[in-house]
Amino acid sequence: MASITSTAPARGDDESTRRAVLGVGGGALLLWLTGCAQLSGGSTVRGGSASWSGRMSLRIDSEPVQTFAALFELRGSAETGDLTLTTPIGSTLAQLHWAPGEALLKNGSDTRRYDSVDALIEAATGAAIPVGALFGWLDGRADPVPGWRADLGQLSNGRLQATRESPSPRADLRIVFERS
């Protein structure tokens, strides 16, 4: 299993949680790259909310480079939703839930609260990913986000790539999913 190390100063429990998720995610990336991960589901709309499942990877060009990969199930909207991250063999890495006034990260028996969905996503993945825009991008809308460039050209093939060019460090998000 790949391990993630960082030369950045430790930030307490949030840093150790992210490192644990990133460490397991590094192993998931290796399995994903060798083609062992299977996709399920796709994008469906139920009662005004959407759901997607597939696999995602995130590369942060920090020093040292950090990588994160996982299978995912994403449900809801930017305002209220759930994201479950798992390994290719089905072990849960983290469960994220957000609603107005609530943002929770469950990692095993540990549950942590965050001020916003953006802080929650950053704690889980190591990078600030624009959640509102992510739902739009997956839905085929080129929602602009300062510093981010989304490539929606392969959405019909179940692929999304988005790159954060600023602020540094650069981050590359790739999502693969099936559509029903």
Side-chain angles (χ1 to χ4, degrees):
M1 178 179 297
S3 65
I4 304 298
T5 58
S6 175
T7 57
R11 293 190 322 224
D13 291 337
D14 288 342
E15 183 69 18
S16 63
T17 298
R18 183 171 61 230
R19 283 186 183 184
V21 170
L22 286 171
V24 175
L29 175 63
L30 293 175
L31 291 174
W32 176 59
L33 291 173
T34 59
C36 296
Q38 290 186 331
L39 299 177
S40 64
S43 172
T44 57
V45 176
R46 294 185 193 113
S49 67
S51 66
W52 294 266
S53 61
R55 61 187 187 230
M56 66 182 296
S57 69
L58 177 66
R59 175 187 165 101
I60 305 167
D61 292 339
S62 57
E63 190 57 45
V65 171
Q66 296 181 45
T67 59
F68 170 84
L71 299 179
F72 75 92
E73 290 184 29
L74 175 64
R75 290 182 285 302
S77 67
E79 294 77 29
T80 302
D82 295 288
L83 174 63
T84 301
L85 302 171
T86 60
T87 68
I89 60 173
S91 300
T92 300
L93 295 170
Q95 294 175 312
L96 293 76
H97 170 77
W98 60 93
E102 177 177 68
L104 305 172
L105 171 62
K106 184 175 181 184
N107 184 1
S109 62
D110 185 30
T111 300
R112 301 198 180 180
R113 296 183 185 281
Y114 293 87
D115 293 334
S116 68
V117 65
D118 292 325
L120 171 67
I121 295 293
E122 186 170 3
T125 65
I129 297 171
V131 176
L134 179 61
F135 277 93
W137 296 339
L138 286 167
D139 231 10
R141 296 186 314 269
D143 295 347
V145 176
W148 282 85
R149 180 178 36 85
D151 179 358
L152 308 181
Q154 293 294 313
L155 275 181
S156 63
N157 296 325
R159 295 179 182 272
L160 167 67
Q161 180 179 358
T163 305
R164 181 186 71 198
E165 296 169 341
S166 68
S168 292
R170 185 176 189 272
D172 184 45
L173 174 66
R174 294 174 187 247
I175 298 176
V176 179
F177 58 95
E178 289 183 344
R179 288 194 183 265
S180 312

